[in-house]
């Protein structure tokens, strides 16, 4: 394998084995390069790559440390990659959201604290029939972020938040061109919230599936129609 990839794998092995733990400092560059049988340049490239995906933290004048390795930190790399996607590649992300978000809604119905459920309802109360698509999307993203956090699973929450950017663009597009889409999305949020507040996991999961699935179905039809339009 390329020498940089080899260096990355060797550092990863040190972390996986527990030799390097979250927050621990890496040995000095020349010492580590000699120990791993690597050139200092390939080790430096590996450290740079691992810093980009938030596995390592390079502190000028102090050294290089393993980060906390918390899920929300590591998923930042996924969020960065997702942000680069174009609208015509958003469908796979919606498919993943359709799997993850209903599960998060069901979990939230079981464990979300009462005060957080109340705050979720207050968030929805900020909207009315005259809400613009832009304001709805801002409210929508916050709703889904809080709902995912209510699942109590940091990994699931981070994955859903990381997938939000391209799907938010699709929802905004829909809100601008499809009559009634804004009001319908708000009503679905209400239904999800009511199911969570009533501690009904199956119902919360069902409404979340409808909510995300409806956007996915609309986008499939829209992209399909665009692809078949004559030049």
């Amino acid at each position: 394998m390329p020498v940089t990839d080899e260096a990355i794998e060797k550092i990863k092995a040190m972390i996986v084995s527990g030799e390097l733990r979250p927050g621990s400092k890496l040995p000095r560059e020349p010492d580590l390069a000699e120990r791993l049988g690597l050139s200092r340049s390939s080790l430096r490239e590996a450290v740079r790559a691992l810093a980009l995906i938030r596995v390592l933290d390079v502190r000028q004048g102090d050294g290089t440390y393993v980060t906390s390795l918390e899920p929300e930190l590591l998923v930042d790399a996924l969020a960065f990659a997702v942000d680069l996607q174009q609208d015509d590649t958003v469908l796979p992300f919606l498919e993943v959201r359709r799997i993850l978000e209903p599960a998060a809604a069901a979990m939230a119905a079981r464990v979300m604290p009462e005060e957080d459920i109340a705050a979720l309802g207050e968030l929805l109360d900020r909207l009315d029939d005259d809400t613009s698509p832009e304001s709805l999307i801002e409210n929508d993203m916050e709703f889904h972020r809080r709902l995912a956090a209510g699942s109590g699973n940091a990994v699931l929450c981070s994955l859903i938040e990381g997938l939000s950017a391209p799907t938010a663009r699709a929802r905004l597009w829909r809100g601008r061109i499809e009559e009634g889409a804004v009001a319908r999305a708000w009503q679905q949020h209400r239904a999800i919230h009511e199911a969570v507040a009533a501690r009904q996991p199956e119902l919360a999961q069902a409404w979340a599936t409808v909510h995300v699935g409806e956007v996915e179905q609309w986008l499939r039809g829209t992209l399909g129609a665009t692809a078949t339009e004559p030049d």
Side-chain angles (χ1 to χ4, degrees), residues 46-97:
V47 168
R48 188 175 295 118
L50 290 170
L52 284 173
I53 61 172
R54 313 296 289 275
V55 172
L56 298 180
D57 178 21
V58 180
R59 305 175 188 175
Q60 295 297 327
D62 187 17
T64 300
Y65 292 79
V66 180
T67 67
S68 66
L69 302 179
E70 292 292 331
E72 56 268 26
L73 184 68
L74 299 180
V75 174
D76 278 350
L78 169 65
F80 180 80
V82 168
D83 283 343
L84 300 177
Q85 301 304 306
Q86 302 300 310
D87 289 333
D88 59 356
T89 62
V90 75
L91 275 172
F93 294 100
L94 277 169
E95 291 172 349
V96 175
R97 282 193 62 189

Side-chain angles (χ1 to χ4, degrees), residues 128-164:
D128 55 38
D129 293 339
D130 297 324
T131 299
S132 68
E134 292 79 8
S135 296
L136 174 70
I137 293 306
E138 182 179 344
N139 191 281
D140 178 281
M141 293 181 70
E142 180 66 12
F143 176 85
H144 286 283
R145 187 193 67 77
R146 294 190 190 188
L147 186 66
S151 72
N153 186 307
V155 176
L156 181 59
C157 180
S158 296
L159 286 172
I160 290 173
E161 191 165 353
L163 293 168
S164 66

